């Protein structure tokens, strides 16, 4: 699932702890050109406040209206199915593309213990399946794998939840600041490692969390997993290659290092001389980023994050970059 939806569940937990009434909506099926995929979530608080989305906006307005005009009674079935966009007129009314249809579960959150447990397991970097029994409203949590998807059989909704995507930056220079800012906007958890104390000044805590130690230690200490990207940006091979020797044998989904095409080839040769396998070295992205003609630090950061997001979303690159993202 999108880690943005974890923010929905965090709000659900906060609101229920405060004694607020909460209804949780989940997209379970779509037909045609639906705006949001199965698994997308929206939480509606008892006073009409919402977080998350299940469409482009008009359906959200109708869900709020359902609350305000009394179509959401406090009693009755704990879970109901709601469908939007069956007819062409209704699709137009709710801003759905022509022929688009959405089906949602409307779930009254009475017992919120499962929310607390699910969030705790995601914080522990586990992938979790949530099974919602539509007849009873009971929720069961179980282990899941990254290949699992949302399923719905009219009786049970099974949705997959995972930890936030993480980005470990080796180096705290100017480029890293731009990358960190963009990564946070994309809902990545940002981690930074730089043993050079001169570069630490000016990094406020909200830009990311510093990981102590040398780069290779940082890769190990954060328990790198398949939702982690690692990028070396010091332009110092003594630090970058130290991290790469460990990172390229990890399960990180993206590993890249700053440098020109020439320097990247030299780096690959050095890593091979240090005993790294050809298979591991082939995982290295360099020069980093998609080709957008980037030159400034902000443009390079945009190019890099575009490549990371593309790979995260399963978009295969037609070819690796052949031009240098920086000189040197």
């Amino acid at each position: 699932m999108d880690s943005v939806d974890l923010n929905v569940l965090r709000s659900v937990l906060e609101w229920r702890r405060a004694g607020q009434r909460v209804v949780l909506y989940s997209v379970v099926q779509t037909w045609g050109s639906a705006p949001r995929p199965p698994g997308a979530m929206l939480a509606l608080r008892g006073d009409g406040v919402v977080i998350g989305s299940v469409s482009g906006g008009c359906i959200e307005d109708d869900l709020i209206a359902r609350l305000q005009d009394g179509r959401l009674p406090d009693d009755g079935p704990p879970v109901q199915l709601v469908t939007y966009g069956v007819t062409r007129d209704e699709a137009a009314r709710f801003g759905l593309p022509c022929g688009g249809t959405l089906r949602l579960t409307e779930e009254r959150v009475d017992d919120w213990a499962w929310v607390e447990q699910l969030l705790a397991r995601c914080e522990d970097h586990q992938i979790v399946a949530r099974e919602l029994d539509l007849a009873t409203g009971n929720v069961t949590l179980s282990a899941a794998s990254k290949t699992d998807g949302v399923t719905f059989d009219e009786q049970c909704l099974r949705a997959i939840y995972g930890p936030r995507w993480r980005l470990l930056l080796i180096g705290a220079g100017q480029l890293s600041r731009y990358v960190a800012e963009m990564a946070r906007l994309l809902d990545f958890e940002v981690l930074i490692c730089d043993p050079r104390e001169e570069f630490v000044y000016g990094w406020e805590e909200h830009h990311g969390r510093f990981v102590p130690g040398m780069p290779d230690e940082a890769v190990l200490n954060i328990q790198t997993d398949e939702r982690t990207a690692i990028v070396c940006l010091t332009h110092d091979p003594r630090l970058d290659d130290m991290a790469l020797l460990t990172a390229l044998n990890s399960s990180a989904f993206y590993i890249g290092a700053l440098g020109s095409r020439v320097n990247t080839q030299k780096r690959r040769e050095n890593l091979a001389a240090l005993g790294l396998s050809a298979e591991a070295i082939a995982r290295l992205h360099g020069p980093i980023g998609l080709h957008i003609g980037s030159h400034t630090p902000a443009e390079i950061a945009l190019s890099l994050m575009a490549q990371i997001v593309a790979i995260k979303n399963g978009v295969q690159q037609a070819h690796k970059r052949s031009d240098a993202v920086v000189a040197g």
Side-chain angles (χ1 to χ4, degrees):
M1 70 172 284
D2 193 331
S3 59
V4 171
D5 289 325
L6 289 180
N7 292 329
V8 173
L9 294 179
R10 292 187 187 99
S11 296
V12 169
L13 182 59
E14 177 186 344
W15 294 344
R16 289 301 289 122
R17 282 174 171 171
Q20 296 274 1
R21 178 189 180 193
V22 178
V23 179
L24 181 64
Y25 292 91
S26 301
V27 177
V28 297
Q29 288 177 315
T30 65
W31 295 269
S33 302
R36 296 283 280 141
M41 305 174 71
L42 175 145
L44 174 61
R45 202 168 69 183
D47 58 0
V49 172
V50 299
I51 183 170
S53 68
V54 292
S55 77
C58 292
I59 287 178
E60 284 80 354
D61 291 341
D62 187 69
L63 294 177
I64 296 171
R66 287 169 60 84
L67 171 70
Q68 294 174 340
D69 64 18
R71 283 180 286 163
L72 294 180
D74 290 329
D75 52 8
V79 183
Q80 298 188 74
L81 287 173
V82 183
T83 303
Y84 288 95
V86 173
T87 66
R88 186 180 298 271
D89 289 343
E90 189 178 34
R93 173 190 170 198
F94 291 111
L96 294 169
C98 184
T101 301
L102 286 177
R103 202 174 189 193
L104 314 173
T105 53
E106 184 177 77
E107 175 185 355
R108 195 173 65 237
V109 183
D110 295 327
D111 179 8
W112 68 91
W114 68 264
V115 184
E116 194 170 35
Q117 294 169 17
L118 189 153
L119 289 172
R121 291 173 70 165
C122 288
E123 287 294 325
D124 196 36
H125 279 265
Q126 300 179 36
I127 300 177
V128 185
R130 178 178 87 103
E131 295 186 4
L132 171 66
D133 187 318
L134 271 64
T136 64
N138 292 336
V139 172
T140 304
L141 302 181
S142 61
S145 71
K146 65 173 186 176
T147 58
D148 291 343
V150 177
T151 60
F152 178 65
D153 63 3
E154 303 288 338
Q155 298 177 341
C156 178
L157 167 65
R158 188 175 190 266
I160 308 302
Y161 302 78
R164 292 181 67 189
W165 297 90
R166 299 185 298 173
L167 174 61
L168 172 62
L169 299 175
I170 305 300
Q174 182 188 36
L175 175 56
S176 293
R177 297 172 191 256
Y178 284 99
V179 174
E181 193 70 25
M182 291 185 187
R184 286 178 58 82
L185 289 173
L186 293 164
D187 201 40
F188 279 76
E189 177 186 3
V190 178
L191 308 171
I192 310 102
C193 175
D194 197 328
R196 305 169 300 178
E197 295 183 0
E198 302 86 350
F199 286 84
V200 175
Y201 177 77
W203 276 87
E204 293 76 13
E205 186 175 345
H206 66 270
H207 288 306
R209 175 170 65 85
F210 270 81
V211 180
M214 298 301 289
D216 56 336
E217 298 171 333
V219 174
L220 293 173
N221 290 340
I222 67 169
Q223 299 181 5
T224 299
D225 59 18
E226 295 165 340
R227 296 175 72 89
T228 304
I230 301 172
V231 185
C232 299
L233 299 175
T234 71
H235 218 234
D236 182 342
R238 293 171 299 177
L239 296 176
D240 288 347
D241 291 1
M242 184 185 298
L244 292 173
L245 282 169
T246 304
L248 289 168
N249 281 320
S250 75
S251 57
F253 78 91
Y254 179 94
I255 303 161
L258 185 68
S260 67
R261 180 175 53 181
V262 172
N263 278 357
T264 296
Q265 181 56 37
K266 290 180 180 178
R267 171 177 286 118
R268 293 178 187 276
E269 294 169 358
N270 290 339
L271 292 172
L274 291 170
L276 208 60
S277 69
E279 182 181 9
I281 295 173
R283 300 183 62 210
L284 176 64
H285 289 269
I288 54 173
L290 299 183
H291 178 36
I292 60 172
S294 53
H295 296 288
T296 68
E299 290 175 346
I300 296 170
L302 175 62
S303 167
L304 169 62
M305 289 310 304
Q307 185 178 52
I308 289 175
V309 169
I311 293 173
K312 173 182 81 72
N313 291 341
V315 177
Q316 297 296 320
Q317 304 298 310
H319 57 273
K320 291 188 176 181
R321 290 195 50 168
S322 60
D323 61 310
V325 74
V326 294

